[in-house]
Amino acid sequence: MHLAHGPIKRGASVRVNLIEQGYVDDWVACFEELGLKPGSMVSDAELLPVHEQGATVLLEPETVLIRTDSQAASLDRDNLGLALGSLEVELIDVVNGELDSLTAGQLDTSVEVRSGDDSEPPLAYLARRWRQLPDVVNLFQGQYTPARPPTQNVYRWRSVASLAGIWLLLGLIGMTAQGIWSSVQADDLSERSVALYKDIFPGETRVNAANV
């Protein structure tokens, strides 16, 4: 069996999903065959809405998905009445159909049963729930944890390197400009010094910046 859990907080209950490991292996092999590398895999039952003191049931031809605020399961449709009868709930929302009379007869008379629109196929309903990003437990944990794409760190360091390169280039340009300006200033100062020396000593013939 493969165990996956939700966030762990001190003093709080931890949500746990338990699934036969062979199922996960088969799905991973299927993804690899298709050339896909998904980052998450969730239980379809966990995509159902959660109601306080209530349960949501998704009917399919042979199986049923059930979720309460503390449990989620997939079971054969023949066992639906027994499963619902064991739940301490006040409301049952039924998706994609209605409860048959035999199943409804196994419920406590105080339990309210609501049936929604059955025009949306179950797969489309679950896909819509997935797009709404419900609070689910990712089954890809432990040995199935997907490798983090290296491009994230590469792009991060590439940005840092690019910024450092720009600053280095600006620094070199600034140093070059400062060097050129200093050279120009030195030449100008040298010419002015020679001119001043000749003005003071008009008879001197050998004049250069070294003896000024």
Side-chain angles (χ1 to χ4, degrees):
M1 302 298 291
H2 172 61
L3 186 147
H5 60 81
I8 299 178
K9 298 180 180 179
R10 183 185 298 273
S13 300
V14 180
R15 294 173 56 200
V16 175
N17 280 2
L18 193 63
I19 184 174
E20 186 176 339
Q21 187 170 341
Y23 289 150
V24 184
D25 292 335
D26 290 343
W27 277 110
V28 171
C30 177
F31 294 143
E32 291 179 349
E33 184 69 21
L34 296 173
L36 302 176
K37 295 182 179 180
S40 61
M41 177 179 176
V42 302
S43 165
D44 46 7
E46 279 216 314
L47 295 174
L48 301 180
V50 177
H51 303 288
E52 186 177 357
Q53 295 298 318
T56 301
V57 177
L58 175 62
L59 300 177
E60 296 187 86
E62 298 180 358
T63 59
V64 179
L65 300 179
I66 302 178
R67 187 179 186 189
T68 68
D69 57 352
S70 61
Q71 302 177 64
S74 174
L75 63 153
D76 295 334
R77 190 156 183 171
D78 294 338
N79 298 323
L80 177 58
L82 179 62
L84 293 180
S86 65
L87 298 178
E88 297 182 359
V89 295
E90 300 175 356
L91 170 67
I92 296 177
D93 271 341
V94 182
V95 180
N96 192 41
E98 298 180 354
L99 298 181
D100 57 70
S101 56
L102 179 61
T103 301
Q106 300 180 54
L107 301 177
D108 192 284
T109 55
S110 62
V111 177
E112 178 185 359
V113 179
R114 300 188 306 195
S115 298
D117 183 13
D118 61 354
S119 62
E120 186 177 27
L123 186 59
Y125 172 81
L126 294 175
R128 177 170 59 83
R129 288 287 303 165
W130 169 252
R131 288 196 299 269
Q132 295 172 355
L133 296 177
D135 181 21
V136 295
V137 174
N138 187 359
L139 296 177
F140 281 162
Q141 298 182 21
Q143 61 178 321
Y144 301 107
T145 302
R148 177 177 296 180
T151 53
Q152 295 181 359
N153 291 331
V154 171
Y155 290 148
R156 184 182 304 170
W157 286 110
R158 183 178 298 174
S159 300
V160 174
S162 299
L163 183 60
I166 292 174
W167 279 109
L168 178 60
L169 179 60
L170 292 176
L172 291 176
I173 292 176
M175 293 174 61
T176 302
Q178 184 178 6
I180 295 175
W181 173 252
S182 298
S183 178
V184 171
Q185 290 291 94
D187 291 343
D188 181 65
L189 181 60
S190 177
E191 292 178 359
R192 292 170 58 186
S193 299
V194 171
L196 180 60
Y197 187 84
K198 287 182 176 181
D199 184 56
I200 298 175
F201 305 99
E204 186 70 34
T205 57
R206 298 181 61 183
V207 181
N208 53 51
N211 56 20
V212 170

